[in-house]
Amino acid sequence: MTAEHPMIRLTGVAKRFTKGKETISIFDHLDLGIPRGDFIAVMGPSGSGKTTLLNLLGGIDRADAGEIAVADQRIDGLSEGELATWRAANIGFIFQFYNLMPMLTAAQNVELPLLLTRLNRKERAERVHTALSVVGLADRTKHRPREMSGGQQQRVAIARAIVSDPNLLLCDEPTGDLDRQSADEILSILQLLNGELGKTIVMVTHDPAAANYAKRVLHLDKGRFVERELAA
Amino acid sequence: MRSLWLQVAAVTAINLKSIGQRRWLSLSTVIAIALVVIVLLAFLAMANGFQRTIAGSGADDIAIVLRAGSQAEINSTVSRDQVRLIEDGPGIARGSDGKPLISPELYLVVDGIKRSTKTKANLPLRGIGEQGTTLRKDIAITAGRMFNRGSNEVVVGKALLREFEGFDVGSTVSFGASRWNVVGVFEAGGSVFESEIWADLNVVQSLFNRNNVVQTVRARLTGPAALNELKSYSDNEPRLKLDVKSEAAYFAEQASQTSDLIQKLGWPLAIAMALGAVAGALNTMYSSVAARATEIATLRAIGFGGFPAFVGTLAESLLLAVIGGLLGAAATYLIFDGVTASTLGGNFTQVVFDFKLSPWLIAEGVALALIVGLIGGLFPAVRAARLPIVEGLYAR
Ligand SMILES: Nc1ncnc2c1ncn2[C@@H]1O[C@H](COP(=O)(O)OP(=O)(O)O)[C@@H](O)[C@H]1O
Ligand SMILES: [Mg+2]
């Protein structure tokens, strides 16, 4: 947790969207540092730019101004192709609606990021098995998404996000579609990934109970952060 | 490189496996493409069957002699004196009795009634010389017997018998003022002659008052090379203003005009329909890209490139096209192949022939289908590759 080498550093980031003639400014001059190994919950009103922030951090959207560095690498200057390669190596995404491929089995879904690596079939199968074991689904490898509950699907999605061993997990309302018990299971897994495996996690949520699992909560409002330490 | 291949394979597999989720729209595209192929192949099979029937009946070592400039037998006249000069010409084969193997022939048009429509149509009546049957391939009597020389008897081709009324063996037919007994049915290896009526030349000449002329002379050559000898003999003899062709060349000429015409009708129609099918394919594939937007964007977020999304989309479109093409070819085969049709031949008489598909024609049909699939998939595939990730992720 070194302040000089944070996991994420945003400096003067601006982001605007143009809809027709109207331009809305989401961030004007956003600064943010997140240390390695942190588990951050980002909260804030709907439309405050939480998803946009994750998209910028994950390199799937571009800022209009400012610098974005992840693990000491500037990503704001990378080309589309370079960004894709960078994402494959560094980022695990977890979405509210899981975004699994419905026609693939759990194992096939989890294997997808490994197709971008040099691993051979056997190595990929081992990694897939490990990742599914971490989320407690080693016995569901052949199941397709529609044969699983929402909580199980999200666990498959988490396995997919960690299978290529990225350092940063970006979760957009990962429990937004789940009942309390499933949500708690998912959040416990995230906590374990953070605590045991040292993954840095940025999780957007509107659920205070979910935010409680994080180490810190950042409140995003009108393009600014308001930080509060949680009582552990 | 290996990774790119894995990406393309994975995305293509995902893409193709998801077709089932769009089955009705996909099916409509398959059917539209199949219809295009059916129309095209029906015309091409028709042209092909016609060409094969006619050209297939021609030999290289048989010469056909017509008056110079007469494209078809019906326009030709050859006089008795000219026939004699040809008999003595070079390159003409002779039988064991030393007689030249030639058949002067008179070719007339008579009326017949079509079985299917009960309408009148023109039929060819051919008066043949003594060597008439031996100068043709695969002539065989399949019912009754051959006509007797000097009597008013006819034999009819089996295709003609199939399509026209009143020619059963034993019946009597009237052509103008003359009456004829049908004594036999012949086959001619599926050639155009099976659509003709044959009788003795001398009897036809006298009953139709054409005693001193014939229309063509058919001659057996000593070999295919003798054709040029006979040609130059004819060209250098002032009394012979005649065209000399091999039977194969003559028939190919006759067939090509009609089969070209059939093809010229078929292609524009098929292409017009193909344009409609392209519009349908575009619609289907844009819908597919829209339906898969979240999947595509998710894969891109994971780190997949745009190229696999391009290939996957194109593969889906081409797969639908191939299915449509093969379905169309299969349907054409089941509906049309071997179906008998009759049409006006070069001599303005009915030619009976079969629709005939060939592997090459099927390839042409499938190629047209693939072009439809390629164009219909290309633009949607570009859209899939360029889909902004953020837009796709929340496109549900
Ligand atoms: N691609 C886009 N085009 C135009 N406007 C957008 C786009 N993405 C987000 N916005 C707008 O930006 C604002 C912030 O969106 P978002 O980051 O999704 O907010 P949150 O996740 O906090 O609810 C919203 O007003 C939204 O309408
Ligand atoms: Mg959001």
Side-chain angles (χ1 to χ4, degrees):
Chain A
M1 235 203 243
T2 49
E4 308 84 61
H5 298 286
M7 190 65 197
I8 294 169
R9 179 177 292 289
L10 302 194
T11 318
V13 166
K15 180 66 184 173
R16 292 179 288 276
F17 286 114
T18 322
K19 251 187 198 153
K21 286 177 186 163
E22 217 176 328
T23 299
I24 51 167
S25 176
I26 310 296
F27 311 120
D28 190 27
H29 190 95
L30 191 68
D31 295 325
L32 174 66
I34 295 176
R36 286 168 198 270
D38 210 349
F39 184 177
I40 301 266
V42 178
M43 301 188 77
S46 183
S48 56
K50 305 182 294 295
T51 295
T52 303
L53 174 69
L54 285 192
N55 292 344
L56 292 173
L57 294 179
I60 56 177
D61 200 356
R62 287 180 183 281
D64 293 301
E67 293 176 5
I68 302 174
V70 177
D72 289 330
Q73 174 166 15
R74 284 277 298 277
I75 62 165
D76 45 90
L78 298 183
S79 70
E80 290 299 318
E82 289 167 338
L83 272 177
T85 308
W86 174 82
R87 284 195 300 272
N90 294 281
I91 304 292
F93 285 101
I94 296 162
F95 305 97
Q96 180 176 358
F97 299 104
Y98 334 125
N99 290 19
L100 300 175
M101 307 294 137
M103 67 295 294
L104 299 185
T105 64
Q108 287 168 335
N109 267 289
V110 174
E111 189 190 14
L112 286 171
L114 299 181
L115 300 178
L116 305 170
T117 66
R118 293 177 190 283
L119 299 176
N120 65 29
R121 183 186 290 264
K122 186 162 162 284
E123 293 165 330
R124 294 201 300 269
E126 284 165 5
R127 292 271 205 117
V128 167
H129 182 78
T130 306
L132 281 169
S133 302
V134 168
V135 298
L137 285 179
D139 57 343
R140 291 284 195 283
T141 54
K142 295 248 161 53
H143 290 237
R144 281 168 218 280
R146 67 166 173 281
E147 297 157 354
M148 291 186 281
S149 70
Q152 288 173 325
Q153 290 185 56
Q154 191 62 297
R155 285 195 268 158
V156 173
I158 292 174
R160 179 179 68 184
I162 60 171
V163 74
S164 56
D165 204 21
N167 287 315
L168 180 57
L169 299 183
L170 301 174
C171 320
D172 196 352
E173 316 232 16
T175 59
D177 202 41
L178 299 178
D179 59 66
R180 187 71 260 157
Q181 197 198 328
S182 303
D184 284 333
E185 284 168 16
I186 295 299
L187 291 161
S188 300
I189 292 172
L190 290 179
Q191 214 168 35
L192 177 120
L193 293 174
N194 173 250
E196 304 288 316
L197 301 177
K199 304 291 177 198
T200 307
I201 300 178
V202 180
M203 173 180 74
V204 166
T205 183
H206 58 260
D207 174 14
N212 260 325
Y213 283 82
K215 287 178 177 165
R216 289 194 295 151
V217 179
L218 294 177
H219 282 267
L220 190 56
D221 201 359
K222 301 188 178 69
R224 296 257 171 266
F225 284 117
V226 193
E227 191 173 342
R228 291 179 211 164
E229 284 291 335
L230 279 178
Chain B
M1 216 45 230
R2 195 177 70 100
S3 165
L4 184 64
W5 160 240
L6 282 177
Q7 284 185 56
V8 168
V11 174
T12 303
I14 290 170
N15 206 328
L16 298 185
K17 281 180 189 169
S18 72
I19 290 177
Q21 295 164 1
R22 299 176 292 283
R23 61 176 74 89
W24 297 117
L25 200 55
S26 304
L27 188 66
S28 74
T29 300
V30 166
I31 289 172
I33 291 174
L35 287 176
V36 170
V37 172
I38 289 172
V39 167
L40 179 69
L41 288 186
F43 275 94
L44 295 186
M46 191 174 177
N48 183 43
F50 184 79
Q51 178 90 38
R52 279 168 62 136
T53 299
I54 296 201
S57 49
D60 284 335
D61 60 351
I62 297 285
I64 305 277
V65 182
L66 299 94
R67 191 187 65 200
S70 54
Q71 296 284 316
E73 266 185 296
I74 197 104
N75 305 324
S76 172
T77 50
V78 179
S79 72
R80 183 168 291 217
D81 296 336
Q82 289 173 321
V83 172
R84 220 155 275 145
L85 284 167
I86 295 165
E87 279 178 350
D88 296 336
I92 304 283
R94 285 171 188 277
S96 48
D97 55 0
K99 280 196 193 167
L101 297 178
I102 73 163
S103 168
E105 300 189 350
L106 188 55
Y107 184 90
L108 298 165
V109 166
V110 297
D111 285 341
I113 304 288
K114 243 184 154 172
R115 284 185 198 273
S116 55
T117 54
K118 307 288 178 205
T119 51
K120 263 194 189 179
N122 291 334
L123 300 178
L125 169 64
R126 184 183 294 276
I128 58 175
E130 252 172 90
Q131 301 293 337
T133 54
T134 54
L135 292 182
R136 290 175 166 86
K137 273 183 292 192
D138 304 328
I139 302 296
I141 296 290
T142 58
R145 58 171 174 82
M146 191 60 191
F147 61 77
N148 286 325
R149 296 257 146 219
S151 63
N152 53 340
E153 294 176 344
V154 296
V155 290
V156 297
K158 71 173 189 184
L160 182 130
L161 178 65
R162 194 164 66 217
E163 296 278 309
F164 292 89
E165 287 183 349
F167 290 100
D168 299 290
V169 174
S171 50
T172 306
V173 289
S174 303
F175 300 142
S178 58
R179 288 167 71 76
W180 302 78
N181 296 320
V182 180
V183 297
V185 179
F186 67 93
E187 62 182 12
S191 76
V192 65
F193 299 121
E194 290 184 358
S195 300
E196 294 185 348
I197 304 163
W198 286 357
D200 180 28
L201 173 67
N202 294 327
V203 180
V204 176
Q205 277 182 318
S206 67
L207 289 183
F208 283 85
N209 289 324
R210 309 252 176 123
N211 282 316
N212 287 316
V213 296
V214 292
Q215 270 155 318
T216 56
V217 178
R218 172 175 290 265
R220 169 144 345 256
L221 299 168
T222 50
L227 184 72
N228 284 331
E229 282 179 57
L230 187 62
K231 261 188 191 167
S232 56
Y233 165 72
S234 162
D235 291 345
N236 295 324
E237 167 59 69
R239 286 170 291 174
L240 292 177
K241 286 204 154 73
L242 301 172
D243 279 343
V244 179
K245 295 169 186 170
S246 75
E247 186 189 42
Y250 174 71
F251 285 148
E253 248 172 52
Q254 299 295 304
S256 64
Q257 291 169 9
T258 307
S259 77
D260 280 0
L261 180 71
I262 297 170
Q263 292 199 26
K264 276 178 190 142
L265 289 173
W267 271 107
L269 191 62
I271 286 173
M273 287 183 64
L275 291 178
V278 165
L282 279 171
N283 178 42
T284 299
M285 293 315 300
Y286 275 128
S287 303
S288 162
V289 173
R292 292 182 293 112
T294 304
E295 284 169 23
I296 295 170
T298 302
L299 289 167
R300 299 291 307 281
I302 289 173
F304 281 67
F307 181 67
F310 175 87
V311 175
T313 306
L314 204 55
E316 176 179 343
S317 179
L318 290 176
L319 179 69
L320 297 181
V322 167
I323 294 173
L326 292 178
L327 222 65
T332 314
Y333 184 80
L334 292 176
I335 301 168
F336 290 110
D337 195 62
V339 164
T340 299
S342 65
T343 189
L344 288 177
N347 279 354
F348 307 105
T349 55
Q350 296 280 337
V351 174
V352 177
F353 65 96
D354 290 347
F355 282 70
K356 195 73 206 143
L357 274 177
S358 69
W360 175 249
L361 293 186
I362 290 173
E364 277 186 70
V366 174
L368 180 64
L370 281 174
I371 290 170
V372 170
L374 190 69
I375 300 173
L378 196 60
F379 299 99
V382 169
R383 177 180 288 183
R386 292 194 179 157
L387 187 76
I389 300 173
V390 172
E391 199 176 291
L393 277 179
Y394 303 100
R396 56 181 74 248

